[in-house]
């Protein structure tokens, strides 16, 4: 079946450090891939997305590239800020469906 | 402003007392869905609706009901809540025209505690 696996957290970094959160997926066909962010006490916001192989999604300094060959969509940011502290969810929508399938989430804590 | 709203945001209730969590969107989206979020499990889909009067079970539908009488509203009903339904609930909506239009927009969440 379709599924998303992401690295367990928490990920703890100092401000201005480089961030990678790994995400791999299993899906038939060509899914759409998403990263959502949940700030403390808030709902989920779409951070970025990619809808076909080799697409790069980017927003607020975050990037992720849709890698079909490794079935991955790793989230990266060159220099994190304290305000990036949140839970990050990798997700997919399988081809020809509308169902969003989430990973378990990765908590990021950034310290000054 | 385009948004998904949920009410109430917080609710504490007792076992067996029927409750409804409302969800409304103003984006004319066809697709609406309910999720619950539990630690270590991510978000799991409870029910979804492809359009008015069309609903279907998600991955964890037991103990829940939904209805879709109007396009904008998609209430979640717990007929007889139990403590294992204590969770954080999210409503979401999207168009159904496939990528790149299938971004789901989420409500702010409802934190439910069943004693």
């Amino acid at each position: 079946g379709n599924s998303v696996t992401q690295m367990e957290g928490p990920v703890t970094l100092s401000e201005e450090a480089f961030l990678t959160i790994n995400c791999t997926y299993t899906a038939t066909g060509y899914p759409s891939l998403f990263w959502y962010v949940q700030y403390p006490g808030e709902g989920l916001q779409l951070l970025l997305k990619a809808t076909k192989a080799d697409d790069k999604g980017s927003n607020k300094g975050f990037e992720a590239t849709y890698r079909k060959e490794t079935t991955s969509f790793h989230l990266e940011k060159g220099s994190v800020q304290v305000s990036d502290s949140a839970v990050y969810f990798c997700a997919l929508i399988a081809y020809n469906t509308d169902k969003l399938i989430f990973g378990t989430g990765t908590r990021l804590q950034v310290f000054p | 402003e385009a948004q998904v709203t949920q009410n109430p945001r917080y609710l504490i209730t007792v076992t067996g007392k029927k409750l409804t969590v409302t969800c409304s969107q103003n984006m004319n989206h066809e697709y609406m869905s309910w999720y619950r979020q539990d630690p270590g499990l991510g978000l799991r889909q409870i029910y979804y609706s492809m359009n008015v009067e069309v609903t279907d079970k998600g991955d964890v539908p037991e103990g829940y009901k939904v209805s879709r009488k109007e396009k904008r509203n998609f209430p979640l009903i717990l007929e007889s809540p139990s403590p294992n339904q204590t969770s954080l609930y999210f409503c979401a909506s999207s168009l159904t025209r496939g990528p790149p239009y299938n971004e789901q927009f989420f409500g702010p969440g409802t934190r439910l505690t069943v004693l």
Side-chain angles (χ1 to χ4, degrees), chain A residues 30 32 34 36 38 41-46 49 51 87 89 93-94 97-105, chain B residues 9 31 35 37 40-43 45 50 59 88 90 94-96 98-104 106-108:
Chain A
Y30 290 87
S32 297
F34 305 84
Y36 281 84
Q38 184 178 29
E42 299 185 12
L44 276 77
Q45 303 173 24
L46 180 68
K49 67 179 181 182
T51 57
V87 180
F89 291 93
I93 295 179
T97 76
D98 293 287
K99 181 177 179 179
L100 194 58
I101 296 170
F102 287 91
T104 53
Chain B
R9 294 289 313 277
Y31 184 87
Y35 299 87
Q37 182 182 7
L41 297 176
L43 280 84
Q45 190 182 55
M50 299 292 286
D59 298 315
L88 181 57
F90 289 101
S94 71
L95 295 169
T96 56
Y101 307 107
N102 55 357
E103 171 190 345
Q104 291 198 14
F106 282 78

Side-chain angles (χ1 to χ4, degrees), chain A residues 7-99:
Chain A
M7 61 190 289
E8 295 211 15
V11 174
T12 303
L13 295 172
S14 298
E15 207 165 24
E16 299 184 2
F18 184 86
L19 168 71
T20 300
I21 300 178
N22 290 336
C23 171
T24 57
Y25 68 88
T26 301
T28 53
Y30 290 87
S32 297
L33 302 174
F34 305 84
W35 276 100
Y36 281 84
V37 59
Q38 184 178 29
Y39 297 105
E42 299 185 12
L44 276 77
Q45 303 173 24
L46 180 68
L47 181 59
L48 53 84
K49 67 179 181 182
T51 57
K52 61 182 187 294
D54 300 323
D55 267 2
K56 177 184 281 187
S58 61
N59 186 25
K60 299 181 181 180
F62 291 89
E63 293 183 339
T65 301
Y66 189 142
R67 301 283 188 203
K68 181 73 175 173
E69 63 277 13
T70 54
T71 61
S72 64
F73 193 54
H74 304 321
L75 182 68
E76 295 181 336
K77 187 175 185 183
S79 177
V80 294
Q81 305 301 310
V82 173
S83 58
D84 293 325
S85 298
V87 180
Y88 293 82
F89 291 93
C90 186
L92 69 83
I93 295 179
Y95 177 74
N96 215 28
T97 76
D98 293 287
K99 181 177 179 179

Side-chain angles (χ1 to χ4, degrees), chain B residues 11-98:
Chain B
L11 179 60
I12 301 174
T13 189
V14 295
T15 299
K17 186 175 181 182
K18 181 180 178 179
L19 66 91
T20 299
V21 184
T22 65
C23 172
S24 182
Q25 50 91 7
N26 62 0
M27 295 169 279
N28 202 36
H29 285 167
E30 296 96 351
Y31 184 87
M32 297 186 74
S33 182
W34 276 102
Y35 299 87
R36 59 178 289 173
Q37 182 182 7
D38 301 291
L41 297 176
L43 280 84
R44 294 176 292 167
Q45 190 182 55
I46 303 170
Y47 268 94
Y48 66 95
S49 169
M50 299 292 286
N51 215 323
V52 175
E53 302 292 2
V54 181
T55 64
D56 210 344
K57 296 177 181 179
D59 298 315
V60 288
E62 293 78 21
Y64 304 95
K65 286 175 55 177
V66 293
S67 69
R68 188 90 181 274
K69 294 185 171 57
E70 305 165 282
K71 197 171 187 179
R72 62 183 293 130
N73 296 324
F74 189 46
L76 179 70
I77 302 155
L78 285 72
E79 294 270 3
S80 182
S82 62
N84 64 11
Q85 292 178 298
T86 292
S87 188
L88 181 57
Y89 291 87
F90 289 101
C91 180
S93 72
S94 71
L95 295 169
T96 56
R97 288 185 284 161

